[in-house]
Amino acid sequence: MANHSKPAHQAEYERKQHKEEMKQQVISFVLMILFTLIAFAMVMFEVNSYFIIPTLLILAVVQVAFQLYYFMHMKNKGHDMPALMLYGGAAIALLTIVTFTSIIWW
């Protein structure tokens, strides 16, 4: 019967990688909760709309980036094509919004 277990150094390396990835996901999750609480507090305390709207948009973009990068594993190898399609679609959506906003306001 063949032994299919991994060498000890490879198992240790994978364990360290998994531990590091879990640490990054927990930190990202905590930051997203913090950003949500900040956004909620700003709305609850009726912060000036000239400040709150751009801040909420920035917090939303950062949270989407965290979601894609850490929780959707877009940083991992082998996710090149899904990442390209996702980021390409986001770029086209942004260009469309900027184009129609420019047409309407000018």
Side-chain angles (χ1 to χ4, degrees):
M1 203 160 141
N3 186 1
H4 293 290
S5 65
K6 297 176 185 174
H9 67 280
Q10 184 178 359
E12 181 65 28
Y13 174 75
E14 287 180 6
R15 209 176 349 232
K16 280 185 178 181
Q17 290 297 100
H18 290 302
K19 184 178 179 182
E20 183 64 28
E21 186 172 341
M22 181 58 75
K23 183 176 109 176
Q24 290 174 351
Q25 286 186 350
V26 168
I27 290 170
S28 175
F29 180 73
V30 168
L31 284 173
M32 287 191 298
I33 295 296
L34 179 67
F35 292 161
T36 301
L37 291 174
I38 290 170
F40 180 77
M42 287 177 19
V43 172
M44 192 172 84
F45 291 120
E46 298 177 358
V47 176
N48 186 349
S49 65
Y50 288 113
F51 176 74
I52 196 171
I53 291 172
T55 305
L56 289 178
L57 289 173
I58 290 170
L59 289 175
V61 167
V62 169
Q63 284 189 359
V64 166
F66 278 163
Q67 284 283 336
L68 293 175
Y69 192 73
Y70 288 108
F71 296 110
M72 299 298 289
H73 304 285
M74 289 297 170
K75 65 180 170 52
N76 295 351
K77 292 180 181 177
H79 288 92
D80 298 333
M81 187 52 74
L84 176 66
M85 294 295 174
L86 193 70
Y87 297 137
I92 290 171
L94 180 66
L95 286 173
T96 302
I97 291 169
V98 169
T99 300
F100 284 118
T101 304
S102 299
I103 290 171
I104 290 171
W105 282 347
W106 284 347

